[in-house]
Amino acid sequence: MFARFLELNIQPGKQPELTKVLKNDVLPILKKWNGFLEMLPLDVETEPTKFYLLSLWHEKRHAEQFHRDHFPKVQAIYDPFLTAPITVKLGHVDETVSTRKFIAAAA
């Protein structure tokens, strides 16, 4: 399993609207991509202008293809909420320390 981790610096008070856009506009796009498993939005209470998104993919190549072929369109959806460029990090998910229930649900 592979992960894309996005850090978004957002305008104050925009988190509820951004969450709605993620659900209605971004998630349907991601669900169409081969290898996409899940998206986990992370709203940190102590950082009201930070928003994190973790997307999980079957393989690295799936995440890379999405990033290359379609991320500019998704980034344009995020742009009205941002105060700085998005930081994107990629990483392998060590399934040996993940819960079996989560892995089974994602498979």
Side-chain angles (χ1 to χ4, degrees):
M1 192 179 327
F2 198 76
R4 290 181 75 241
F5 186 81
L6 279 61
E7 179 181 336
L8 288 74
N9 293 290
I10 62 171
Q11 299 170 23
K14 291 291 188 175
Q15 185 274 331
E17 188 179 347
L18 176 59
T19 300
K20 185 176 180 181
V21 167
L22 288 171
K23 180 180 176 183
N24 296 331
D25 300 333
V26 177
L27 190 56
I29 292 169
L30 287 168
K31 286 182 175 181
K32 293 178 184 177
W33 278 86
N34 187 31
F36 172 74
L37 296 172
E38 189 61 73
M39 178 177 67
L40 305 168
L42 305 169
D43 175 21
V44 181
E45 291 179 3
T46 58
E47 297 179 313
T49 60
K50 294 277 188 181
F51 196 83
Y52 302 95
L53 289 168
L54 179 69
S55 60
L56 300 175
W57 301 80
H58 276 291
E59 297 179 20
K60 181 179 181 178
R61 66 184 174 91
H62 296 132
E64 290 175 333
Q65 182 180 8
F66 170 79
H67 186 81
R68 182 177 55 251
D69 296 347
H70 210 70
F71 187 64
K73 180 179 179 180
V74 173
Q75 186 169 352
I77 294 170
Y78 296 141
D79 280 345
F81 301 95
L82 302 178
T83 60
I86 297 173
T87 301
V88 179
K89 297 179 182 180
L90 305 172
H92 179 265
V93 177
D94 186 344
E95 295 175 28
T96 63
V97 292
S98 297
T99 65
R100 290 183 186 161
K101 184 176 181 180
F102 180 77
I103 292 170

